Amino acid sequence: MKDWTFNGLEREFDSHVRQHLPWYDVAADAVALIARHYIPQRGLIYDIGCSTGNVGRSLGDIIEAREARLIGIDNCADMAKAYQAPGELVIADAGSFEFERFDVAVMFLTLMFMPVAERSDFMRRLRSRLKPGGAIVIFDRCVAATGYEATVMMRMIWNGKLQAGVSFAEVAEKEMRLAGIQRPIEPHELGGEALEIFRFADFAGWIIRG
């Protein structure tokens, strides 16, 4: 069985994520709304792991109104073919990217695909580039609860996928292909100042203030 990859998924990515994560639009809109609160006039925004630009598109009006600058970063050249958002797209590995001082950074379902050994150092470096008054907004899969609650959450997620039309076989196959590729994050990797603000089963959102 081949490892999971985003290569070649660009044309169907948006429909794919909405099937496998039925609350995707609710979470993306929440992250964009939160980010709006921290974007100043002529501010700089990073969308790290931007995929097709869903978050950037949600911020389009505020970017224009406040004359802000958006830089999307993704390491998948195929995804860049489907990118549609205001601002600039950079195809690069976020782990080695040289960030300017910024006002807002959004990471939407990004850290879980970053090697575990690199996460804490990456977050420390990212926080060091955050301007006072700004924010890093994160939404990601985190390590599941223990005990019976872990079973409940797993079934919640599987039920959502099935109701969205994904077959049992597809759900199981993707889970197996993600083994070792997608590693849920530990909240301590974000730093002690990260504030959890919302949650869908074992996916959660955090704010880190500048």
Side-chain angles (χ1 to χ4, degrees):
M1 185 175 290
K2 294 182 179 179
D3 284 343
W4 172 258
T5 177
F6 289 100
N7 293 325
L9 190 64
E10 66 277 4
R11 291 183 179 178
E12 57 188 81
F13 174 80
D14 287 339
S15 60
H16 174 88
V17 293
R18 285 166 175 81
Q19 283 186 313
H20 285 265
L21 302 173
W23 36 256
Y24 180 91
D25 285 323
V26 174
D29 288 347
V31 165
L33 178 60
I34 292 162
R36 287 169 178 259
H37 290 75
Y38 299 93
I39 300 171
Q41 194 73 19
R42 291 181 293 279
L44 174 59
I45 309 154
Y46 282 109
D47 183 3
I48 304 170
C50 58
S51 62
T52 61
N54 288 315
V55 172
R57 288 195 296 275
S58 294
L59 292 172
D61 60 340
I62 204 76
I63 289 170
E64 181 178 0
R66 297 183 188 172
E67 302 177 287
R69 183 161 63 110
L70 172 70
I71 299 176
I73 302 171
D74 205 286
N75 65 357
C76 180
D78 282 354
M79 294 300 290
K81 299 173 186 175
Y83 182 80
Q84 294 184 24
E88 173 188 354
L89 172 64
V90 179
I91 302 172
D93 178 0
S96 57
F97 187 80
E98 291 296 327
F99 291 92
E100 300 177 42
R101 294 274 288 171
F102 64 87
D103 299 284
V104 171
V106 173
M107 287 186 288
F108 191 83
L109 303 174
T110 300
L111 277 176
M112 61 185 176
F113 292 105
M114 185 175 286
V116 174
E118 299 176 10
R119 293 175 185 174
S120 293
D121 285 343
F122 170 75
M123 288 303 304
R124 278 194 290 271
R125 188 164 62 87
L126 192 65
R127 292 196 305 270
S128 74
R129 306 304 293 163
L130 176 61
K131 293 180 182 179
I136 301 170
V137 187
I138 300 161
F139 182 73
D140 225 311
R141 189 171 194 169
C142 53
V143 173
T146 58
Y148 187 54
E149 286 68 32
T151 302
V152 173
M153 287 189 181
M154 179 190 69
R155 289 173 177 164
M156 286 176 62
I157 293 171
W158 277 56
N159 182 64
K161 295 173 188 282
L162 296 171
Q163 288 189 337
V166 185
S167 69
F168 275 110
E170 287 179 279
V171 174
E173 180 185 358
K174 184 177 180 183
E175 284 297 318
M176 294 306 297
R177 291 180 65 195
L178 284 169
I181 302 298
Q182 182 199 87
R183 294 275 301 268
I185 70 170
E186 298 269 7
H188 70 79
E189 293 169 337
L190 305 178
E193 67 274 37
L195 173 67
E196 184 177 319
I197 49 174
F198 65 96
R199 175 178 289 269
F200 298 93
D202 56 353
F203 288 79
W206 294 268
I207 293 177
I208 299 172
R209 290 180 57 190

